[in-house]
Amino acid sequence: MKKIDSLTDEEVVELVRQKDKEQYAVIIKRYQDKLVRYSTNLIGDSDKAEDCVQNAFIKAYVNLQGFNTKKKFSSWIYRIVHNESINCIKKYKKEISLEKNSWVKFKFFSKDDVEEDFSKKEAVEMLKSNLKKLPVNYRSALTLYYLEDRTYEEIAEVLKAPIGTVGTWMGRGKKMLKEII
Amino acid sequence: MTDLSKKIMNQIEKEHVEMKPKIYFVAGYALLGVGLAGAMLTSIMFSNLAFHRFRMHGVFARPFPLIHLLLIILFILLGLKLLKKYEFSHKYSLWGLVITMITAVVLFGFLMDRLGVNERLSRRKHFERLYQGGVKGYYIERRPSPRLYK
């Protein structure tokens, strides 16, 4: 029998579903740090983020039989944490609405090529210090791309949006960051 | 950072948290499929009836099939709500899905009418009321499909 550490996430999930529920702890340990970090970046509060992630893992456990092992577990669990974080944001009303930032509207039509102005390292630094100022969709997309190293396809899976929309959110989020600086 | 694994596993044990059985999800998807198919078929049927009315009485049919059109919109919206629950639906834009559903309903409704489906259905006992009245002011002449006269 393969060692548990060498099993993929999907194989561990199958093991939890069929035989050994205690192995769910393996999944938690693999993802807890990343998910708490992601949730903290969304919510802006690490204590609340831990509660969100805890609730998300419980929900994931309850719905584990509904997970399709042919898909990526990481996208699935990130999706659940994303939803829990959004619920937490709504509960504590920490979301910054795009509509409230009217100064942003006329900045979107700048002809500057944002990609040329950003290296990934610069984007990571800017993100970390200015995350809270971004609307939640842009915050999520940029966090997942720059801080969690997710591909556009994975981000689309997590945020349940078309890839084109993810690209739009990324572009607008970067423009907003540029204006903030 | 706190080790959440112990906290979560203790919570699962203490609160006797159970996984939902697989049949729950299988049945859920099956019902979703049935609901979606039902919503689409119903809206296509009403689209077909609307086209039939327009063919019999022209675009300014009296009474205007407003109820048909409202029910078409209602069932398209229901179908869309059910379709969004599928994993694959997020890959497509909302407006793309709306346009596709409306196009499908209009196209199939039109084809059903042109292929003489209404004439065949109007002769069946269960569908007579739909075509021959039962509601005051809703009587429709029974004219055979134009295809028969070509």
Side-chain angles (χ1 to χ4, degrees), chain A residues 7-62:
Chain A
L7 295 178
T8 62
D9 297 334
E10 292 75 27
E11 286 169 342
V12 177
V13 165
E14 199 54 45
L15 190 66
V16 171
R17 292 203 296 211
Q18 305 289 346
K19 290 179 193 174
D20 189 358
K21 292 175 185 177
E22 295 300 319
Q23 299 304 330
Y24 191 61
V26 172
I27 290 283
I28 299 169
K29 282 180 181 158
R30 283 185 188 182
Y31 281 95
Q32 62 178 5
D33 291 346
K34 294 180 224 182
L35 293 174
V36 169
R37 185 177 61 225
Y38 174 62
S39 185
T40 305
N41 287 333
L42 285 188
I43 298 170
D45 183 320
S46 57
D47 290 332
K48 289 190 177 73
E50 277 194 18
D51 290 340
C52 271
V53 170
Q54 188 173 338
N55 292 337
F57 271 119
I58 297 290
K59 280 191 180 175
Y61 182 81
V62 170

Side-chain angles (χ1 to χ4, degrees), chain B residues 2-64:
Chain B
T2 321
D3 182 13
L4 288 176
S5 61
K6 282 184 185 157
K7 254 178 124 178
I8 292 165
M9 296 310 290
N10 282 341
Q11 187 179 347
I12 288 171
E13 199 184 317
K14 247 185 175 180
E15 293 176 17
H16 304 289
V17 178
E18 295 283 341
M19 282 186 231
K20 286 177 185 165
K22 199 169 178 84
I23 189 72
Y24 173 92
F25 299 98
V26 172
Y29 270 105
L31 282 172
L32 195 61
V34 167
L36 179 60
M40 290 307 295
L41 286 172
T42 309
S43 57
I44 288 169
M45 185 63 194
F46 281 109
S47 167
N48 161 54
L49 288 172
F51 273 114
H52 179 74
R53 174 164 278 277
F54 288 136
R55 181 163 58 82
M56 292 291 120
H57 296 279
V59 179
F60 301 103
R62 288 285 177 272
F64 188 78

Side-chain angles (χ1 to χ4, degrees), chain A residues 6 15 21 26 41 54-55 66 69 71 76 88 105 107 126 137 142 152-153 155 164 166-167 178 181:
Chain A
S6 61
L15 190 66
K21 292 175 185 177
V26 172
N41 287 333
Q54 188 173 338
N55 292 337
T69 49
K71 302 260 169 116
W76 189 70
C88 190
K105 286 181 187 168
K107 298 288 184 189
M126 271 189 278
N137 283 340
L142 289 171
Y152 270 53
E153 288 77 16
I155 296 170
V166 170
K178 199 183 163 205
I181 303 156

